[in-house]
Amino acid sequence: MSEAYDLYQLGRARLREGFAAQATVPLEKARRLEPEKASIREALGIAYFRITDWTSAEREFRKLLELSPVDDYAHYALGRSLMRQGRAREASIHLKLARFLKPRPPGETVD
């Protein structure tokens, strides 16, 4: 296993345990080692969101969208981060995109 992967797993475990602030330390280290790894960026964005660091969460979710532009969760999380910063107009764009990009069972339509 790589060091970045081990750090990522440690960060995810801390998130699962409810320790978002403690999760940021290994996840930030993992990001330095693998800055283009979407899974690390997503987990770090979640950790920042949970500790109410909206601007850092926004940064991570924006980077995640650079890496994967059609990631419905990244659009959703970015929209939520923007809403928390009082940027409702900008947030609504990402929240709408998330809704339309979300995978659905065959035959289900978007209302």
Side-chain angles (χ1 to χ4, degrees), residues 28-42:
E28 287 171 351
K29 289 178 183 177
R31 180 189 60 197
R32 282 193 293 277
L33 294 169
E34 296 281 346
E36 302 299 308
K37 194 74 171 173
S39 57
I40 294 170
R41 295 291 187 150
E42 180 179 302

Side-chain angles (χ1 to χ4, degrees), residues 5-16:
Y5 180 77
D6 291 341
L7 289 165
Y8 167 73
Q9 290 298 326
L10 178 59
R12 293 286 298 160
R14 289 183 177 163
L15 276 174
R16 279 191 304 276

Side-chain angles (χ1 to χ4, degrees), residues 24-73:
T24 62
V25 175
L27 291 170
E28 287 171 351
K29 289 178 183 177
R31 180 189 60 197
R32 282 193 293 277
L33 294 169
E34 296 281 346
E36 302 299 308
K37 194 74 171 173
S39 57
I40 294 170
R41 295 291 187 150
E42 180 179 302
L44 189 52
I46 291 168
Y48 286 140
F49 190 90
R50 289 184 183 170
I51 62 172
T52 69
D53 184 347
W54 315 125
T55 57
S56 295
E58 175 189 352
R59 181 187 64 238
E60 295 306 318
F61 294 127
R62 283 194 187 280
K63 180 61 178 180
L64 183 54
L65 284 172
E66 285 179 27
L67 298 170
S68 182
V70 294
D71 184 324
D72 65 293
Y73 180 77

